[in-house]
Amino acid sequence: MGRIMLEVIDAGVVQGPLSVAFYGYDITREIQKHGADVYRGLFERASLLLPNSRFLATRLLDAGAASEKVRLHRLGIRLEDFPFVDRRGRSGPPTILAVGRLVEKKGFEHLVRAMRIAGDRSVFRARVVGDGPLRASLEALAVASGLSDRIEFLGWRSGGEVSRLMSEADLFVAPSVTAADGDMEGMPLVISEALATGLPVIGSRHSGIPEVVLDGENGLVVEERDVQGLASGLIHFSDEGNRLRAASNARRTAETRFCSTKQGDELLKLLESIA
């Protein structure tokens, strides 16, 4: 979209300095697909480049962006839409929530495999929210793994429904991986939403996720595709005490890094700096 905007500016439709945000595949898959020069003109003419993770900032620099133009800016969330939930003393088996398009980079197959490895050592049931081309194969994998009674595939849900499902969940899992075509996450916003409700998060060491999921504090970080490590994380958080210890840290992370008002003020200052 930034490259398209250069043509709009050249056509005289709008004028003024240009800022461009980067969220993931735009600076990972696109570079692999089209080469490092794909953004050369944009890097030269844009006044501000806004990656949403330090990882993507590094990718921008590697692709030739000038360091003085690159500024980290994380997207904010309305904390009131994802209130903290006190999960002490809940009855019944705890629930994992995973949210995202059912595509390779989300890594949901590794969650299914990890649940099979953990077996009865993990007390969790799982809900997977989202739809996409891998839904049928993921459902088949769950059946083949003997987990059809422990994993629900809920399909697409609205933002309000996702917030409700987060309030009902006990653990959030984001096992993202680098896809075969180079597609990667930036920093999935759904992780910050989960943290806001006090959900511990197990995330992969992928893109900007370890910048927010702080290993041993608000969750655990495992390597990409490490189903054994993910299974160990599920076993660890099967203990309610371990989940509750991470809960307050999770909310604090959301408050300090993702408050929409604070992030909006920061973005305004960045835009004013180039005006």
Side-chain angles (χ1 to χ4, degrees), residues 5 25 35 72 74 86 100 112 125 131 139 157 161-162 166 168 198 205 233 240 254 262 272-273:
M5 201 63 194
Y25 79 87
L72 171 65
R74 303 187 192 278
D86 186 348
V112 177
R125 303 293 185 265
D131 215 335
E139 290 178 332
R157 291 291 186 270
E161 290 175 301
V162 171
M166 285 180 176
E168 296 173 355
R205 198 174 304 282
E240 183 184 35
K262 179 181 175 182
E272 287 175 339
S273 74

Side-chain angles (χ1 to χ4, degrees), residues 209-231:
I209 292 175
E211 299 171 25
V212 177
V213 180
L214 308 177
D215 191 50
E217 295 185 30
N218 59 18
L220 295 172
V221 177
V222 300
E223 300 301 324
E224 289 189 26
R225 296 181 170 87
D226 180 7
V227 293
Q228 188 63 61
L230 182 51

Side-chain angles (χ1 to χ4, degrees), residues 107-127:
F108 292 145
E109 70 169 280
H110 306 298
L111 171 59
V112 177
R113 297 184 193 281
M115 289 184 67
R116 178 181 59 80
I117 290 173
D120 292 339
R121 294 175 295 167
S122 168
V123 296
F124 286 106
R125 303 293 185 265
R127 289 173 164 176

Side-chain angles (χ1 to χ4, degrees), residues 123-151:
V123 296
F124 286 106
R125 303 293 185 265
R127 289 173 164 176
V128 178
V129 174
D131 215 335
L134 297 185
R135 180 167 181 172
S137 62
L138 288 169
E139 290 178 332
L141 178 61
V143 171
S145 301
L147 296 168
S148 57
D149 61 337
R150 294 180 61 185
I151 302 178

Side-chain angles (χ1 to χ4, degrees), residues 24-268:
Y25 79 87
D26 40 23
I27 196 63
T28 56
R29 186 182 70 192
E30 290 300 288
I31 293 290
Q32 180 169 313
K33 185 176 180 180
H34 299 291
D37 288 341
V38 66
Y39 291 128
R40 175 175 291 184
L42 179 64
F43 288 167
E44 290 175 353
R45 295 179 58 185
S47 298
L48 196 61
L49 305 170
L50 302 175
N52 75 337
S53 70
R54 290 193 298 272
F55 176 85
L56 293 186
T58 300
R59 284 298 184 96
L60 283 167
L61 296 174
D62 291 343
S67 59
E68 64 270 17
K69 294 183 178 183
V70 178
R71 294 290 181 271
L72 171 65
H73 180 71
R74 303 187 192 278
L75 292 171
I77 61 170
R78 286 169 46 91
L79 293 173
E80 59 269 30
D81 291 343
F82 298 91
F84 180 80
V85 177
D86 186 348
R87 296 174 170 85
R88 289 176 293 183
R90 284 183 166 181
S91 59
T95 301
I96 294 167
L97 185 66
V99 179
R101 288 195 67 229
L102 304 187
V103 294
E104 183 186 358
K105 74 174 179 180
K106 293 298 182 180
F108 292 145
E109 70 169 280
H110 306 298
L111 171 59
V112 177
R113 297 184 193 281
M115 289 184 67
R116 178 181 59 80
I117 290 173
D120 292 339
R121 294 175 295 167
S122 168
V123 296
F124 286 106
R125 303 293 185 265
R127 289 173 164 176
V128 178
V129 174
D131 215 335
L134 297 185
R135 180 167 181 172
S137 62
L138 288 169
E139 290 178 332
L141 178 61
V143 171
S145 301
L147 296 168
S148 57
D149 61 337
R150 294 180 61 185
I151 302 178
E152 291 182 88
F153 291 89
L154 302 181
W156 182 88
R157 291 291 186 270
S158 68
E161 290 175 301
V162 171
S163 178
R164 176 183 60 78
L165 288 166
M166 285 180 176
S167 70
E168 296 173 355
D170 301 278
L171 177 67
F172 192 85
V173 177
S176 300
V177 301
T178 303
D181 64 358
D183 193 7
M184 297 180 70
E185 307 276 15
M187 211 311 289
L189 196 63
V190 70
I191 291 178
S192 56
E193 295 168 347
L195 291 169
T197 72
L199 278 176
V201 176
I202 300 179
S204 54
R205 198 174 304 282
H206 172 90
S207 192
I209 292 175
E211 299 171 25
V212 177
V213 180
L214 308 177
D215 191 50
E217 295 185 30
N218 59 18
L220 295 172
V221 177
V222 300
E223 300 301 324
E224 289 189 26
R225 296 181 170 87
D226 180 7
V227 293
Q228 188 63 61
L230 182 51
S232 296
L234 299 182
I235 295 167
H236 173 80
F237 281 124
S238 292
D239 181 89
E240 183 184 35
N242 291 336
R243 297 197 302 272
L244 294 177
R245 276 188 287 274
S248 59
N249 291 331
R251 176 67 184 188
R252 191 176 304 115
T253 300
E255 291 174 342
T256 56
R257 298 194 185 189
F258 298 109
C259 171
S260 60
T261 302
K262 179 181 175 182
Q263 295 307 101
D265 289 344
E266 179 183 288
L267 179 59
L268 182 58

